Short mmCIF file of all heavy atoms in Angstrom, two decimals:
data_model
loop_
_atom_site.label_atom_id
_atom_site.label_comp_id
_atom_site.label_asym_id
_atom_site.label_seq_id
_atom_site.Cartn_x
_atom_site.Cartn_y
_atom_site.Cartn_z
N MET A 1 10.57 -147.79 9.10
CA MET A 1 9.50 -147.11 9.82
C MET A 1 9.95 -145.70 10.18
O MET A 1 11.09 -145.48 10.51
CB MET A 1 9.16 -147.85 11.12
CG MET A 1 8.55 -149.23 10.98
SD MET A 1 6.84 -149.28 10.50
CE MET A 1 5.97 -148.71 11.91
N VAL A 2 9.02 -144.79 10.08
CA VAL A 2 9.24 -143.41 10.51
C VAL A 2 8.07 -143.04 11.41
O VAL A 2 7.31 -142.13 11.13
CB VAL A 2 9.38 -142.44 9.32
CG1 VAL A 2 10.74 -142.54 8.69
CG2 VAL A 2 8.31 -142.67 8.28
N SER A 3 7.94 -143.81 12.49
CA SER A 3 6.79 -143.63 13.37
C SER A 3 6.73 -142.21 13.89
O SER A 3 7.73 -141.57 14.16
CB SER A 3 6.85 -144.62 14.53
OG SER A 3 8.04 -144.47 15.24
N GLY A 4 5.52 -141.73 13.99
CA GLY A 4 5.30 -140.37 14.47
C GLY A 4 5.31 -139.32 13.39
O GLY A 4 4.87 -138.20 13.60
N GLU A 5 5.82 -139.66 12.22
CA GLU A 5 5.84 -138.70 11.12
C GLU A 5 4.50 -138.77 10.39
O GLU A 5 4.01 -139.86 10.08
CB GLU A 5 6.99 -139.01 10.15
CG GLU A 5 7.18 -137.92 9.12
CD GLU A 5 8.46 -138.09 8.32
OE1 GLU A 5 9.42 -138.67 8.82
OE2 GLU A 5 8.47 -137.61 7.17
N PRO A 6 3.89 -137.62 10.11
CA PRO A 6 2.60 -137.64 9.42
C PRO A 6 2.74 -138.09 7.97
O PRO A 6 3.83 -138.02 7.38
CB PRO A 6 2.14 -136.18 9.49
CG PRO A 6 3.39 -135.39 9.64
CD PRO A 6 4.35 -136.27 10.39
N ASP A 7 1.63 -138.55 7.40
CA ASP A 7 1.64 -138.92 5.99
C ASP A 7 2.12 -137.73 5.16
O ASP A 7 1.72 -136.58 5.42
CB ASP A 7 0.25 -139.33 5.53
CG ASP A 7 -0.19 -140.67 6.11
OD1 ASP A 7 0.61 -141.33 6.80
OD2 ASP A 7 -1.35 -141.05 5.87
N SER A 8 2.98 -138.01 4.19
CA SER A 8 3.50 -136.93 3.35
C SER A 8 4.07 -137.51 2.07
O SER A 8 4.36 -138.70 1.98
CB SER A 8 4.59 -136.15 4.09
OG SER A 8 5.71 -136.99 4.36
N VAL A 9 4.19 -136.63 1.08
CA VAL A 9 4.83 -136.98 -0.19
C VAL A 9 5.75 -135.83 -0.56
O VAL A 9 5.32 -134.68 -0.63
CB VAL A 9 3.78 -137.19 -1.31
CG1 VAL A 9 4.47 -137.51 -2.63
CG2 VAL A 9 2.79 -138.29 -0.95
N ARG A 10 7.03 -136.14 -0.77
CA ARG A 10 8.01 -135.11 -1.10
C ARG A 10 8.83 -135.53 -2.30
O ARG A 10 9.11 -136.71 -2.49
CB ARG A 10 8.94 -134.87 0.09
CG ARG A 10 8.21 -134.32 1.29
CD ARG A 10 9.17 -133.75 2.31
NE ARG A 10 8.42 -133.17 3.40
CZ ARG A 10 8.37 -133.67 4.62
NH1 ARG A 10 9.03 -134.76 4.91
NH2 ARG A 10 7.66 -133.07 5.55
N VAL A 11 9.26 -134.55 -3.07
CA VAL A 11 10.12 -134.79 -4.22
C VAL A 11 11.45 -134.10 -3.96
O VAL A 11 11.48 -132.94 -3.54
CB VAL A 11 9.48 -134.23 -5.52
CG1 VAL A 11 10.41 -134.46 -6.71
CG2 VAL A 11 8.12 -134.85 -5.77
N LYS A 12 12.54 -134.82 -4.21
CA LYS A 12 13.86 -134.24 -3.97
C LYS A 12 14.82 -134.71 -5.05
O LYS A 12 14.79 -135.86 -5.48
CB LYS A 12 14.36 -134.68 -2.60
CG LYS A 12 15.65 -134.04 -2.18
CD LYS A 12 15.98 -134.34 -0.75
CE LYS A 12 17.21 -133.57 -0.35
NZ LYS A 12 17.53 -133.73 1.05
N ALA A 13 15.69 -133.81 -5.49
CA ALA A 13 16.73 -134.14 -6.47
C ALA A 13 17.96 -134.63 -5.73
O ALA A 13 18.46 -133.96 -4.83
CB ALA A 13 17.08 -132.93 -7.31
N ILE A 14 18.46 -135.80 -6.14
CA ILE A 14 19.67 -136.36 -5.54
C ILE A 14 20.48 -137.03 -6.63
O ILE A 14 19.98 -137.91 -7.33
CB ILE A 14 19.34 -137.38 -4.43
CG1 ILE A 14 18.56 -136.71 -3.30
CG2 ILE A 14 20.62 -138.02 -3.90
CD1 ILE A 14 18.14 -137.65 -2.20
N ASN A 15 21.72 -136.59 -6.79
CA ASN A 15 22.66 -137.20 -7.75
C ASN A 15 22.08 -137.33 -9.15
O ASN A 15 22.19 -138.38 -9.79
CB ASN A 15 23.12 -138.56 -7.24
CG ASN A 15 23.93 -138.46 -5.97
OD1 ASN A 15 24.67 -137.51 -5.77
ND2 ASN A 15 23.77 -139.44 -5.10
N GLY A 16 21.43 -136.29 -9.63
CA GLY A 16 20.92 -136.28 -10.98
C GLY A 16 19.63 -137.05 -11.19
O GLY A 16 19.18 -137.22 -12.32
N GLN A 17 19.05 -137.56 -10.10
CA GLN A 17 17.78 -138.28 -10.19
C GLN A 17 16.77 -137.61 -9.26
O GLN A 17 17.12 -136.77 -8.44
CB GLN A 17 17.94 -139.74 -9.79
CG GLN A 17 18.80 -140.52 -10.77
CD GLN A 17 18.85 -141.96 -10.40
OE1 GLN A 17 19.17 -142.30 -9.27
NE2 GLN A 17 18.55 -142.84 -11.35
N TRP A 18 15.52 -137.99 -9.41
CA TRP A 18 14.43 -137.45 -8.60
C TRP A 18 13.87 -138.56 -7.71
O TRP A 18 13.51 -139.62 -8.20
CB TRP A 18 13.34 -136.88 -9.50
CG TRP A 18 13.86 -135.69 -10.23
CD1 TRP A 18 14.43 -135.67 -11.46
CD2 TRP A 18 13.91 -134.36 -9.74
NE1 TRP A 18 14.83 -134.40 -11.78
CE2 TRP A 18 14.52 -133.57 -10.74
CE3 TRP A 18 13.49 -133.75 -8.57
CZ2 TRP A 18 14.71 -132.20 -10.59
CZ3 TRP A 18 13.69 -132.39 -8.41
CH2 TRP A 18 14.29 -131.63 -9.41
N ILE A 19 13.85 -138.30 -6.41
CA ILE A 19 13.34 -139.26 -5.43
C ILE A 19 11.99 -138.76 -4.94
O ILE A 19 11.86 -137.62 -4.50
CB ILE A 19 14.30 -139.38 -4.22
CG1 ILE A 19 15.75 -139.58 -4.66
CG2 ILE A 19 13.81 -140.46 -3.26
CD1 ILE A 19 16.02 -140.81 -5.46
N VAL A 20 10.98 -139.63 -5.02
CA VAL A 20 9.68 -139.32 -4.42
C VAL A 20 9.63 -140.13 -3.13
O VAL A 20 9.70 -141.36 -3.15
CB VAL A 20 8.51 -139.69 -5.35
CG1 VAL A 20 7.18 -139.38 -4.67
CG2 VAL A 20 8.62 -138.92 -6.67
N ARG A 21 9.54 -139.41 -2.02
CA ARG A 21 9.54 -140.01 -0.68
C ARG A 21 8.11 -139.98 -0.16
O ARG A 21 7.51 -138.92 -0.02
CB ARG A 21 10.46 -139.19 0.22
CG ARG A 21 10.60 -139.69 1.62
CD ARG A 21 11.51 -138.74 2.39
NE ARG A 21 11.80 -139.21 3.71
CZ ARG A 21 11.09 -138.93 4.79
NH1 ARG A 21 10.03 -138.17 4.70
NH2 ARG A 21 11.42 -139.41 5.96
N ILE A 22 7.56 -141.16 0.15
CA ILE A 22 6.18 -141.27 0.60
C ILE A 22 6.17 -141.85 2.00
O ILE A 22 6.72 -142.93 2.25
CB ILE A 22 5.37 -142.21 -0.33
CG1 ILE A 22 5.47 -141.70 -1.77
CG2 ILE A 22 3.93 -142.33 0.13
CD1 ILE A 22 5.31 -142.78 -2.79
N VAL A 23 5.56 -141.12 2.93
CA VAL A 23 5.34 -141.63 4.28
C VAL A 23 3.84 -141.87 4.40
O VAL A 23 3.04 -140.96 4.21
CB VAL A 23 5.81 -140.64 5.36
CG1 VAL A 23 5.47 -141.16 6.75
CG2 VAL A 23 7.31 -140.39 5.23
N GLU A 24 3.48 -143.12 4.68
CA GLU A 24 2.08 -143.49 4.81
C GLU A 24 1.93 -144.42 6.01
O GLU A 24 2.51 -145.50 6.03
CB GLU A 24 1.60 -144.19 3.54
CG GLU A 24 0.16 -144.62 3.60
CD GLU A 24 -0.31 -145.31 2.34
OE1 GLU A 24 0.52 -145.58 1.44
OE2 GLU A 24 -1.50 -145.58 2.26
N GLY A 25 1.18 -143.97 7.00
CA GLY A 25 0.95 -144.79 8.18
C GLY A 25 2.23 -145.19 8.90
O GLY A 25 2.33 -146.29 9.42
N GLY A 26 3.21 -144.30 8.90
CA GLY A 26 4.48 -144.57 9.58
C GLY A 26 5.47 -145.39 8.76
O GLY A 26 6.56 -145.69 9.24
N ARG A 27 5.11 -145.76 7.54
CA ARG A 27 6.01 -146.52 6.67
C ARG A 27 6.55 -145.63 5.56
O ARG A 27 5.80 -144.88 4.94
CB ARG A 27 5.28 -147.70 6.05
CG ARG A 27 4.87 -148.73 7.10
CD ARG A 27 4.48 -150.00 6.47
NE ARG A 27 5.64 -150.49 5.69
CZ ARG A 27 5.66 -151.63 5.06
NH1 ARG A 27 4.63 -152.41 5.08
NH2 ARG A 27 6.72 -151.99 4.37
N LEU A 28 7.83 -145.74 5.29
CA LEU A 28 8.50 -144.96 4.27
C LEU A 28 8.73 -145.82 3.04
O LEU A 28 9.23 -146.94 3.12
CB LEU A 28 9.85 -144.46 4.78
CG LEU A 28 10.78 -143.81 3.76
CD1 LEU A 28 10.18 -142.50 3.26
CD2 LEU A 28 12.15 -143.59 4.34
N THR A 29 8.35 -145.28 1.88
CA THR A 29 8.71 -145.89 0.60
C THR A 29 9.28 -144.79 -0.28
O THR A 29 8.97 -143.61 -0.09
CB THR A 29 7.50 -146.56 -0.11
OG1 THR A 29 6.49 -145.59 -0.30
CG2 THR A 29 6.97 -147.72 0.69
N GLN A 30 10.12 -145.18 -1.22
CA GLN A 30 10.73 -144.22 -2.13
C GLN A 30 10.67 -144.76 -3.55
O GLN A 30 10.79 -145.97 -3.76
CB GLN A 30 12.19 -143.94 -1.75
CG GLN A 30 12.33 -143.31 -0.39
CD GLN A 30 13.75 -142.94 -0.09
OE1 GLN A 30 14.04 -141.78 0.03
NE2 GLN A 30 14.63 -143.91 0.04
N GLN A 31 10.49 -143.85 -4.48
CA GLN A 31 10.46 -144.21 -5.90
C GLN A 31 11.47 -143.29 -6.58
O GLN A 31 11.49 -142.08 -6.32
CB GLN A 31 9.06 -143.98 -6.45
CG GLN A 31 8.84 -144.45 -7.84
CD GLN A 31 8.67 -145.96 -7.93
OE1 GLN A 31 8.30 -146.62 -6.97
NE2 GLN A 31 8.96 -146.50 -9.08
N VAL A 32 12.29 -143.83 -7.46
CA VAL A 32 13.34 -143.07 -8.14
C VAL A 32 12.95 -142.85 -9.59
O VAL A 32 12.50 -143.77 -10.27
CB VAL A 32 14.69 -143.80 -8.07
CG1 VAL A 32 15.78 -143.01 -8.78
CG2 VAL A 32 15.07 -144.08 -6.62
N PHE A 33 13.15 -141.61 -10.06
CA PHE A 33 12.84 -141.24 -11.44
C PHE A 33 14.03 -140.51 -12.04
O PHE A 33 14.73 -139.79 -11.35
CB PHE A 33 11.62 -140.30 -11.49
CG PHE A 33 10.35 -140.95 -11.04
CD1 PHE A 33 10.01 -140.96 -9.70
CD2 PHE A 33 9.48 -141.53 -11.95
CE1 PHE A 33 8.83 -141.56 -9.26
CE2 PHE A 33 8.30 -142.13 -11.52
CZ PHE A 33 7.98 -142.14 -10.18
N ASP A 34 14.22 -140.67 -13.34
CA ASP A 34 15.24 -139.92 -14.06
C ASP A 34 14.69 -138.60 -14.60
O ASP A 34 15.45 -137.69 -14.89
CB ASP A 34 15.80 -140.74 -15.23
CG ASP A 34 16.61 -141.93 -14.75
OD1 ASP A 34 17.32 -141.80 -13.74
OD2 ASP A 34 16.53 -142.99 -15.39
N ILE A 35 13.37 -138.53 -14.75
CA ILE A 35 12.73 -137.36 -15.36
C ILE A 35 11.89 -136.62 -14.32
O ILE A 35 11.01 -137.22 -13.68
CB ILE A 35 11.87 -137.79 -16.57
CG1 ILE A 35 12.79 -138.46 -17.61
CG2 ILE A 35 11.13 -136.60 -17.16
CD1 ILE A 35 12.06 -139.13 -18.74
N HIS A 36 12.18 -135.35 -14.16
CA HIS A 36 11.52 -134.51 -13.16
C HIS A 36 10.00 -134.54 -13.31
O HIS A 36 9.27 -134.73 -12.33
CB HIS A 36 12.07 -133.08 -13.26
CG HIS A 36 11.50 -132.15 -12.26
ND1 HIS A 36 11.26 -130.84 -12.54
CD2 HIS A 36 11.12 -132.32 -10.98
CE1 HIS A 36 10.76 -130.25 -11.48
NE2 HIS A 36 10.66 -131.13 -10.51
N ALA A 37 9.49 -134.35 -14.51
CA ALA A 37 8.04 -134.30 -14.72
C ALA A 37 7.36 -135.61 -14.31
O ALA A 37 6.25 -135.59 -13.75
CB ALA A 37 7.72 -133.99 -16.18
N GLN A 38 8.01 -136.73 -14.54
CA GLN A 38 7.44 -138.01 -14.13
C GLN A 38 7.38 -138.12 -12.61
O GLN A 38 6.40 -138.62 -12.06
CB GLN A 38 8.25 -139.17 -14.71
CG GLN A 38 8.09 -139.32 -16.20
CD GLN A 38 8.96 -140.42 -16.77
OE1 GLN A 38 9.91 -140.89 -16.13
NE2 GLN A 38 8.66 -140.83 -17.99
N ALA A 39 8.42 -137.65 -11.94
CA ALA A 39 8.44 -137.68 -10.48
C ALA A 39 7.33 -136.80 -9.91
O ALA A 39 6.62 -137.20 -8.98
CB ALA A 39 9.80 -137.22 -9.95
N GLU A 40 7.18 -135.61 -10.47
CA GLU A 40 6.14 -134.70 -9.98
C GLU A 40 4.74 -135.27 -10.22
O GLU A 40 3.86 -135.17 -9.37
CB GLU A 40 6.27 -133.33 -10.64
CG GLU A 40 7.49 -132.54 -10.21
CD GLU A 40 7.46 -132.08 -8.76
OE1 GLU A 40 6.38 -132.10 -8.11
OE2 GLU A 40 8.53 -131.70 -8.27
N SER A 41 4.53 -135.88 -11.37
CA SER A 41 3.24 -136.48 -11.69
C SER A 41 2.92 -137.62 -10.72
O SER A 41 1.80 -137.72 -10.19
CB SER A 41 3.24 -136.98 -13.13
OG SER A 41 2.02 -137.60 -13.44
N PHE A 42 3.89 -138.47 -10.49
CA PHE A 42 3.71 -139.58 -9.55
C PHE A 42 3.42 -139.05 -8.15
O PHE A 42 2.52 -139.56 -7.46
CB PHE A 42 4.96 -140.47 -9.55
CG PHE A 42 4.88 -141.60 -8.56
CD1 PHE A 42 4.13 -142.73 -8.84
CD2 PHE A 42 5.55 -141.52 -7.35
CE1 PHE A 42 4.05 -143.77 -7.92
CE2 PHE A 42 5.48 -142.56 -6.43
CZ PHE A 42 4.74 -143.68 -6.71
N ALA A 43 4.17 -138.04 -7.72
CA ALA A 43 3.97 -137.48 -6.39
C ALA A 43 2.56 -136.90 -6.25
O ALA A 43 1.90 -137.10 -5.22
CB ALA A 43 5.02 -136.40 -6.11
N GLU A 44 2.09 -136.23 -7.26
CA GLU A 44 0.74 -135.65 -7.21
C GLU A 44 -0.32 -136.75 -7.12
O GLU A 44 -1.28 -136.63 -6.37
CB GLU A 44 0.49 -134.74 -8.41
CG GLU A 44 -0.76 -133.90 -8.29
CD GLU A 44 -0.80 -133.02 -7.04
OE1 GLU A 44 0.26 -132.58 -6.56
OE2 GLU A 44 -1.92 -132.76 -6.55
N GLU A 45 -0.14 -137.82 -7.87
CA GLU A 45 -1.07 -138.96 -7.79
C GLU A 45 -1.08 -139.54 -6.38
O GLU A 45 -2.15 -139.89 -5.86
CB GLU A 45 -0.68 -140.03 -8.80
CG GLU A 45 -0.93 -139.65 -10.23
CD GLU A 45 -0.37 -140.66 -11.22
OE1 GLU A 45 0.05 -141.76 -10.79
OE2 GLU A 45 -0.34 -140.35 -12.42
N GLU A 46 0.09 -139.66 -5.77
CA GLU A 46 0.17 -140.19 -4.41
C GLU A 46 -0.50 -139.24 -3.40
O GLU A 46 -1.17 -139.69 -2.49
CB GLU A 46 1.62 -140.45 -4.01
CG GLU A 46 2.23 -141.63 -4.73
CD GLU A 46 1.51 -142.93 -4.42
OE1 GLU A 46 1.56 -143.37 -3.25
OE2 GLU A 46 0.88 -143.49 -5.33
N ARG A 47 -0.31 -137.94 -3.58
CA ARG A 47 -0.98 -136.98 -2.70
C ARG A 47 -2.50 -137.11 -2.80
O ARG A 47 -3.19 -137.08 -1.78
CB ARG A 47 -0.54 -135.55 -3.02
CG ARG A 47 0.87 -135.24 -2.60
CD ARG A 47 1.22 -133.77 -2.85
NE ARG A 47 2.65 -133.59 -2.72
CZ ARG A 47 3.50 -133.42 -3.73
NH1 ARG A 47 3.06 -133.36 -4.97
NH2 ARG A 47 4.78 -133.29 -3.51
N LEU A 48 -2.99 -137.24 -4.01
CA LEU A 48 -4.44 -137.42 -4.21
C LEU A 48 -4.91 -138.70 -3.54
O LEU A 48 -5.94 -138.72 -2.86
CB LEU A 48 -4.78 -137.44 -5.70
CG LEU A 48 -4.70 -136.11 -6.43
CD1 LEU A 48 -4.83 -136.32 -7.94
CD2 LEU A 48 -5.78 -135.16 -5.93
N ARG A 49 -4.17 -139.77 -3.72
CA ARG A 49 -4.53 -141.06 -3.13
C ARG A 49 -4.59 -140.98 -1.61
O ARG A 49 -5.49 -141.54 -0.98
CB ARG A 49 -3.51 -142.13 -3.56
CG ARG A 49 -3.84 -143.53 -3.06
CD ARG A 49 -2.80 -144.53 -3.53
NE ARG A 49 -1.50 -144.34 -2.93
CZ ARG A 49 -1.17 -144.74 -1.70
NH1 ARG A 49 -2.05 -145.33 -0.92
NH2 ARG A 49 0.05 -144.54 -1.25
N LEU A 50 -3.65 -140.25 -1.02
CA LEU A 50 -3.59 -140.12 0.44
C LEU A 50 -4.46 -138.99 0.98
O LEU A 50 -4.54 -138.80 2.19
CB LEU A 50 -2.13 -139.90 0.88
CG LEU A 50 -1.18 -141.06 0.62
CD1 LEU A 50 0.26 -140.64 0.90
CD2 LEU A 50 -1.57 -142.26 1.48
N GLY A 51 -5.09 -138.23 0.09
CA GLY A 51 -5.92 -137.12 0.53
C GLY A 51 -5.13 -135.95 1.07
O GLY A 51 -5.61 -135.19 1.91
N LEU A 52 -3.91 -135.78 0.56
CA LEU A 52 -3.05 -134.68 0.99
C LEU A 52 -3.20 -133.50 0.03
O LEU A 52 -3.52 -133.70 -1.14
CB LEU A 52 -1.58 -135.14 1.00
CG LEU A 52 -1.26 -136.28 1.95
CD1 LEU A 52 0.16 -136.77 1.72
CD2 LEU A 52 -1.47 -135.86 3.39
N PRO A 53 -2.94 -132.29 0.51
CA PRO A 53 -3.02 -131.13 -0.39
C PRO A 53 -1.91 -131.18 -1.43
O PRO A 53 -0.84 -131.73 -1.20
CB PRO A 53 -2.84 -129.93 0.55
CG PRO A 53 -2.14 -130.47 1.75
CD PRO A 53 -2.56 -131.92 1.87
N GLY A 54 -2.17 -130.57 -2.58
CA GLY A 54 -1.16 -130.46 -3.63
C GLY A 54 -0.04 -129.54 -3.20
O GLY A 54 -0.19 -128.74 -2.28
N GLU A 55 1.08 -129.67 -3.85
CA GLU A 55 2.23 -128.81 -3.58
C GLU A 55 2.79 -128.31 -4.90
O GLU A 55 2.68 -128.98 -5.92
CB GLU A 55 3.33 -129.58 -2.84
CG GLU A 55 2.93 -129.99 -1.45
CD GLU A 55 4.08 -130.65 -0.69
OE1 GLU A 55 5.23 -130.57 -1.15
OE2 GLU A 55 3.80 -131.26 0.34
N PRO A 56 3.41 -127.13 -4.89
CA PRO A 56 4.04 -126.66 -6.13
C PRO A 56 5.20 -127.60 -6.49
O PRO A 56 5.79 -128.22 -5.62
CB PRO A 56 4.55 -125.26 -5.78
CG PRO A 56 4.49 -125.15 -4.30
CD PRO A 56 3.56 -126.20 -3.79
N PRO A 57 5.52 -127.69 -7.78
CA PRO A 57 6.62 -128.56 -8.19
C PRO A 57 7.94 -128.17 -7.53
O PRO A 57 8.19 -126.99 -7.26
CB PRO A 57 6.71 -128.35 -9.71
CG PRO A 57 5.40 -127.79 -10.09
CD PRO A 57 4.89 -127.03 -8.90
N THR A 58 8.75 -129.15 -7.27
CA THR A 58 10.08 -128.92 -6.73
C THR A 58 10.94 -128.31 -7.81
O THR A 58 10.92 -128.75 -8.95
CB THR A 58 10.70 -130.25 -6.27
OG1 THR A 58 9.82 -130.85 -5.33
CG2 THR A 58 12.07 -130.05 -5.65
N GLU A 59 11.68 -127.29 -7.46
CA GLU A 59 12.53 -126.62 -8.45
C GLU A 59 13.79 -127.45 -8.71
O GLU A 59 14.37 -128.03 -7.79
CB GLU A 59 12.92 -125.24 -7.95
CG GLU A 59 13.46 -124.37 -9.06
CD GLU A 59 13.38 -122.90 -8.71
OE1 GLU A 59 12.33 -122.46 -8.23
OE2 GLU A 59 14.38 -122.23 -8.93
N GLU A 60 14.20 -127.48 -9.96
CA GLU A 60 15.41 -128.21 -10.32
C GLU A 60 16.64 -127.46 -9.81
O GLU A 60 16.73 -126.24 -9.94
CB GLU A 60 15.54 -128.35 -11.83
CG GLU A 60 14.56 -129.31 -12.43
CD GLU A 60 14.84 -129.55 -13.89
OE1 GLU A 60 15.80 -130.29 -14.20
OE2 GLU A 60 14.11 -128.99 -14.71
N PRO A 61 17.61 -128.19 -9.25
CA PRO A 61 18.86 -127.55 -8.86
C PRO A 61 19.55 -126.95 -10.08
O PRO A 61 19.41 -127.48 -11.19
CB PRO A 61 19.70 -128.69 -8.27
CG PRO A 61 18.71 -129.74 -7.93
CD PRO A 61 17.58 -129.60 -8.90
N VAL A 62 20.30 -125.90 -9.90
CA VAL A 62 20.99 -125.21 -10.99
C VAL A 62 21.86 -126.17 -11.78
O VAL A 62 21.89 -126.13 -13.01
CB VAL A 62 21.83 -124.03 -10.44
CG1 VAL A 62 22.68 -123.42 -11.54
CG2 VAL A 62 20.92 -123.00 -9.81
N GLU A 63 22.56 -127.08 -11.11
CA GLU A 63 23.46 -128.01 -11.80
C GLU A 63 22.69 -128.86 -12.80
O GLU A 63 23.19 -129.15 -13.88
CB GLU A 63 24.17 -128.97 -10.82
CG GLU A 63 24.80 -128.36 -9.61
CD GLU A 63 23.82 -128.13 -8.48
OE1 GLU A 63 23.16 -129.07 -8.00
OE2 GLU A 63 23.71 -126.97 -8.06
N MET A 64 21.48 -129.28 -12.45
CA MET A 64 20.70 -130.14 -13.34
C MET A 64 20.21 -129.34 -14.55
O MET A 64 20.19 -129.85 -15.67
CB MET A 64 19.54 -130.78 -12.60
CG MET A 64 19.98 -131.81 -11.59
SD MET A 64 18.61 -132.55 -10.69
CE MET A 64 18.04 -133.75 -11.89
N ARG A 65 19.84 -128.10 -14.34
CA ARG A 65 19.37 -127.26 -15.46
C ARG A 65 20.52 -126.99 -16.42
O ARG A 65 20.36 -127.06 -17.63
CB ARG A 65 18.80 -125.94 -14.94
CG ARG A 65 17.47 -126.10 -14.26
CD ARG A 65 16.86 -124.76 -13.97
NE ARG A 65 17.70 -123.98 -13.10
CZ ARG A 65 17.33 -123.54 -11.90
NH1 ARG A 65 16.14 -123.77 -11.44
NH2 ARG A 65 18.15 -122.82 -11.18
N ARG A 66 21.70 -126.71 -15.89
CA ARG A 66 22.86 -126.44 -16.75
C ARG A 66 23.22 -127.65 -17.58
O ARG A 66 23.50 -127.53 -18.76
CB ARG A 66 24.07 -126.06 -15.88
CG ARG A 66 24.02 -124.65 -15.38
CD ARG A 66 25.32 -124.28 -14.70
NE ARG A 66 25.18 -123.04 -14.01
CZ ARG A 66 25.67 -122.78 -12.82
NH1 ARG A 66 26.38 -123.69 -12.19
NH2 ARG A 66 25.50 -121.61 -12.25
N GLY A 67 23.20 -128.84 -16.95
CA GLY A 67 23.54 -130.07 -17.67
C GLY A 67 22.58 -130.34 -18.80
O GLY A 67 22.96 -130.80 -19.87
N ARG A 68 21.32 -130.05 -18.61
CA ARG A 68 20.31 -130.29 -19.63
C ARG A 68 20.48 -129.30 -20.77
O ARG A 68 20.33 -129.66 -21.93
CB ARG A 68 18.92 -130.17 -19.01
CG ARG A 68 17.84 -130.66 -19.92
CD ARG A 68 16.47 -130.65 -19.30
NE ARG A 68 16.08 -129.30 -18.96
CZ ARG A 68 15.69 -128.92 -17.75
NH1 ARG A 68 15.62 -129.78 -16.78
NH2 ARG A 68 15.34 -127.66 -17.51
N GLN A 69 20.83 -128.06 -20.49
CA GLN A 69 21.00 -127.03 -21.53
C GLN A 69 22.23 -127.30 -22.38
O GLN A 69 22.27 -126.95 -23.53
CB GLN A 69 21.10 -125.64 -20.89
CG GLN A 69 19.79 -125.20 -20.27
CD GLN A 69 19.97 -123.92 -19.46
OE1 GLN A 69 21.09 -123.47 -19.22
NE2 GLN A 69 18.87 -123.36 -19.02
N ALA A 70 23.24 -127.93 -21.80
CA ALA A 70 24.49 -128.17 -22.52
C ALA A 70 24.36 -129.27 -23.57
O ALA A 70 25.19 -129.40 -24.44
CB ALA A 70 25.59 -128.53 -21.53
N ARG A 71 23.32 -130.07 -23.48
CA ARG A 71 23.17 -131.20 -24.41
C ARG A 71 22.81 -130.77 -25.79
O ARG A 71 22.33 -129.83 -26.17
CB ARG A 71 22.09 -132.14 -23.90
CG ARG A 71 22.55 -132.85 -22.65
CD ARG A 71 21.48 -133.78 -22.16
NE ARG A 71 21.91 -134.26 -20.86
CZ ARG A 71 21.14 -134.92 -20.06
NH1 ARG A 71 19.93 -135.19 -20.37
NH2 ARG A 71 21.60 -135.33 -18.91
#
């Protein structure tokens, strides 16, 4: 529970993965993605479902961009 926190949807990069953090009615749920675009798409769907405004995509940390370019 995260009582008192307003409904929200956030995307964050952690340890090479993307976490979508959803607060709805004081309850926290999280969904983990390996692909940034999938996390952003899911987050946008959740924002629409909750009637929240859209947000610009979360920027990838430099370390993640470098790792992807090296492949």
Side-chain angles (χ1 to χ4, degrees):
M1 293 285 289
V2 283
S3 58
E5 189 170 333
D7 289 356
S8 63
V9 178
R10 296 195 176 110
V11 178
K12 186 171 185 175
I14 298 177
N15 295 326
Q17 293 184 308
W18 293 93
I19 311 299
V20 179
R21 182 182 185 270
I22 304 153
V23 176
E24 179 180 6
R27 293 194 59 176
L28 171 67
T29 58
Q30 297 185 115
Q31 187 77 23
V32 180
F33 295 86
D34 291 323
I35 299 170
H36 182 216
Q38 290 177 343
E40 291 292 345
S41 178
F42 177 78
E44 191 57 30
E45 290 173 10
E46 289 298 294
R47 288 184 193 106
L48 287 171
R49 184 180 68 79
L50 295 172
L52 299 172
E55 293 185 13
T58 303
E59 196 159 314
E60 289 187 76
V62 173
E63 312 83 58
M64 290 179 80
R65 287 189 300 240
R66 282 188 191 139
R68 191 176 62 235
Q69 291 171 351
R71 291 180 188 169

